[in-house]
Amino acid sequence: MGTHDEFARQLQGYGLSTAEISYFMPDYPSLLQIFVWQFYDEAPHFPELRRFLDTWRRDIEAVLHSVRFVHDRLLGPRVWHPKAGIITVQ
């Protein structure tokens, strides 16, 4: 996915998501491993994350331990917080 495609997805309402997936492999059941994945997804249903986790459960032998997930919509209205004081630009 190129920069243009990523920008177009953001305009469509997608935001940047990061998933940290902790899992166990069958050959090392006592070793907790971590996979970090960053992608664009659409809140609040997160179809990309759901599709990925469904594929993981169906096709990968690793057993999921936990998934930590953050999401931020990069484009959109921002909140302006006024600051007290005077700033002089010369």
Side-chain angles (χ1 to χ4, degrees):
M1 181 182 297
T3 304
H4 176 71
D5 297 331
E6 293 173 359
F7 184 68
R9 290 192 85 175
Q10 290 178 50
L11 291 176
Q12 295 170 354
Y14 284 73
L16 186 62
S17 300
T18 303
E20 179 187 89
I21 301 164
S22 302
Y23 63 96
F24 296 101
M25 290 296 291
D27 46 351
Y28 297 100
S30 62
L31 180 63
L32 183 64
Q33 300 185 48
I34 296 175
F35 174 74
V36 177
W37 181 44
Q38 198 167 52
F39 55 100
Y40 286 95
D41 210 348
E42 191 173 18
H45 301 292
F46 304 107
E48 298 295 327
L49 177 64
R50 290 178 185 275
R51 190 174 304 116
F52 178 80
L53 291 176
D54 288 344
T55 301
W56 182 293
R57 289 185 197 108
R58 185 179 59 249
D59 298 336
I60 298 177
E61 294 180 18
V63 177
L64 288 173
H65 173 270
S66 60
V67 176
R68 291 190 335 163
F69 180 75
V70 294
H71 176 82
D72 185 26
R73 190 162 176 210
L74 301 174
L75 293 180
R78 296 292 177 210
V79 178
W80 180 68
H81 299 285
K83 302 294 180 191
I86 298 173
I87 299 173
T88 304
V89 179
Q90 297 182 17

